[in-house]
Amino acid sequence: EQVYLPINNALSPVGHVHGFLQEIGQGIQHVANRVEDLVDFVRRCNEFREMTGEGFSFLNIPRSYYGVLSVMHLVASADIEVELAEAVLDACIAEQIATEDGAVDLDLTKASLTAILDQSQLTKGEMMKEYIERKDQIADSILNSRYINLYSLLRNH
């Protein structure tokens, strides 16, 4: 068995590795494991740490870490007017599929999202026509917003 500890970033002052070394000092920043059952592995590691006080901790990453839904994201990616984008964001928050800071439910599917939005105020009044014409793009934009920070880094790779 082998352990690989690559440095994936130059040690220049602009890289995250440099920041890690400055803030925390030398040590391991990330560890990759291949396991049969990730959920069980994490559970066992957490139980071991609780019982012995030894081991390692997993980061508690907030839902918003990878991306959040915003009015500007909706306007740009769904090609809709600001008023509709604001109404979509408000509907997502009201229906509890997004938090106040715009973190969208990671388990949300396009079908369930569309069903929720179709029952909202978006299908009534002045914005109805634009919503109906752009509803696929709106749903895709909402779902993509969950990982917008990753998309920004990786582009289409």
Side-chain angles (χ1 to χ4, degrees):
E1 296 192 23
Q2 297 178 350
V3 175
Y4 295 95
L5 299 174
I7 294 178
N8 296 326
N9 196 6
L11 293 176
S12 69
V14 295
H16 76 278
V17 173
H18 177 78
F20 181 84
L21 293 172
Q22 292 295 107
E23 294 286 323
I24 298 172
Q26 294 183 21
I28 298 173
Q29 183 187 26
H30 290 88
V31 175
N33 294 293
R34 181 177 294 177
V35 297
E36 293 279 329
D37 184 343
L38 180 61
V39 173
D40 184 57
F41 175 78
V42 171
R43 181 188 52 74
R44 287 186 294 123
C45 288
N46 286 336
E47 289 172 354
F48 180 80
R49 188 183 66 257
E50 288 174 14
M51 290 186 296
T52 65
E54 298 178 0
F56 54 93
S57 300
F58 294 94
L59 293 177
N60 186 10
I61 307 272
R63 273 185 17 205
S64 60
Y65 179 78
Y66 294 107
V68 294
L69 180 62
S70 69
V71 170
M72 295 289 65
H73 171 71
L74 284 166
V75 168
S77 63
D79 192 27
I80 59 176
E81 297 295 325
V82 171
E83 294 78 19
L84 179 56
E86 289 171 344
V88 167
L89 182 57
D90 289 345
C92 289
I93 294 168
E95 295 296 329
Q96 299 181 336
I97 56 176
T99 60
E100 289 288 332
D101 66 352
V104 176
D105 183 354
L106 296 177
D107 295 323
L108 192 62
T109 65
K110 187 170 183 177
S112 63
L113 171 61
T114 302
I116 291 167
L117 293 179
D118 284 350
Q119 296 301 313
S120 73
Q121 294 298 317
L122 300 172
T123 59
K124 300 166 181 69
E126 299 172 11
M127 293 178 274
M128 180 177 69
K129 182 178 182 219
E130 184 182 10
Y131 168 73
I132 291 170
E133 288 174 355
R134 307 295 300 163
K135 101 173 165 177
D136 279 344
Q137 291 83 357
I138 291 169
D140 289 341
S141 295
I142 292 169
L143 295 174
N144 288 344
S145 74
R146 298 176 296 185
Y147 303 104
I148 195 68
N149 294 341
L150 289 176
Y151 289 132
S152 296
L153 287 172
L154 301 174
R155 305 282 186 256
N156 291 325
H157 299 290

